[in-house]
Amino acid sequence: MSAVVLSATLLASGSAGASSAPSAGPARAPFFAADTSLVVPAQAPAPVYGWAALTDAPAPPAPPAPPRPVAGLDQTQMNNAVAIVKQGRAQGVPEKGLVVAVATAMQESDLYNVASPAVPSSLKLPHDAVSTDHDSVGLFQQRASQGWGSVPELMDPAHSAMLFYNALGQVRGWQSMSVTGAAQAVQRSAYPSAYQKHADRAAQIVAAIA
């Protein structure tokens, strides 16, 4: 058999025969034809840590600004009025009750959260002003000694307002009373007619608070 025919025979016999045949020469590196159908997947970008990643996060929304003062109040007084009105609305108090509460605080504390030297612990709590009227403290000048609540409760604008509304709700027929009549039924002030003068401004303040 010629060398040409032998080579053709070996090629036709397949890889099985080739694997058992002795090596005819030095090993050659396998040859792979280019395959254009292969696509190397792109690598995902490495995660970014630290400040660069944080800057992409949206900033939290800013809290809404408090209502601007009306009826001659300053911002501190207006903020306290907001606390009174929002607490009343949370309790389902009618608009007239809100007006009564704001008018009461206007008379009792000029809408400042007042601490008292007669109650030393009140001076250690957040307050807007200092005044001495027995042991009365807070927006409504309530007294812990008279069972209104603890000093921290009375010095908290929302909590002291809640206590006022609770007491107002116990007054039978308060809705048909004048502002001063309803306020006096709760406060039992030595000046029972003093609240009425604040009624119009209190109504304006309540109307300005959404």
Side-chain angles (χ1 to χ4, degrees):
M1 181 181 294
S2 68
V4 175
V5 174
L6 178 60
S7 297
T9 303
L10 289 175
L11 289 174
S13 65
S15 59
S19 62
S20 60
S23 175
R28 296 183 180 181
F31 175 78
F32 297 97
D35 187 350
T36 58
S37 65
L38 295 178
V39 178
V40 178
Q43 292 185 347
V48 180
Y49 301 102
W51 292 110
L54 293 177
T55 56
D56 293 334
R68 295 182 63 82
V70 298
L73 303 184
D74 61 28
Q75 191 64 61
T76 297
Q77 292 170 304
M78 191 67 183
N79 292 346
N80 288 329
V82 168
I84 293 171
V85 171
K86 288 192 172 181
Q87 178 61 38
R89 287 179 176 155
Q91 292 181 237
V93 177
E95 286 292 293
K96 182 173 182 179
L98 308 181
V99 173
V100 171
V102 172
T104 299
M106 292 174 76
Q107 172 60 29
E108 296 291 351
S109 66
D110 200 21
L111 278 173
Y112 290 113
N113 196 24
V114 178
S116 171
V119 186
S121 61
S122 70
L123 298 171
K124 300 177 183 179
L125 297 168
H127 58 278
D128 307 320
V130 176
S131 178
T132 301
D133 181 9
H134 301 288
D135 57 346
S136 302
V137 296
L139 292 175
F140 295 90
Q141 290 293 277
Q142 296 155 331
R143 302 172 68 182
S145 64
Q146 300 298 311
W148 274 100
S150 68
V151 173
E153 290 172 340
L154 304 185
M155 290 297 295
D156 178 81
H159 197 101
S160 63
M162 180 194 72
L163 296 172
F164 178 87
Y165 290 125
N166 289 348
L168 180 65
Q170 299 300 312
V171 177
R172 181 172 297 180
W174 71 265
Q175 295 93 333
S176 60
M177 295 179 180
S178 64
V179 168
T180 199
Q184 175 62 12
V186 175
Q187 298 295 105
R188 300 179 182 177
S189 169
Y191 307 96
S193 61
Y195 303 101
Q196 193 64 40
K197 65 186 178 186
H198 302 289
D200 290 343
R201 289 176 65 213
Q204 181 183 352
I205 293 165
V206 171
I209 299 172

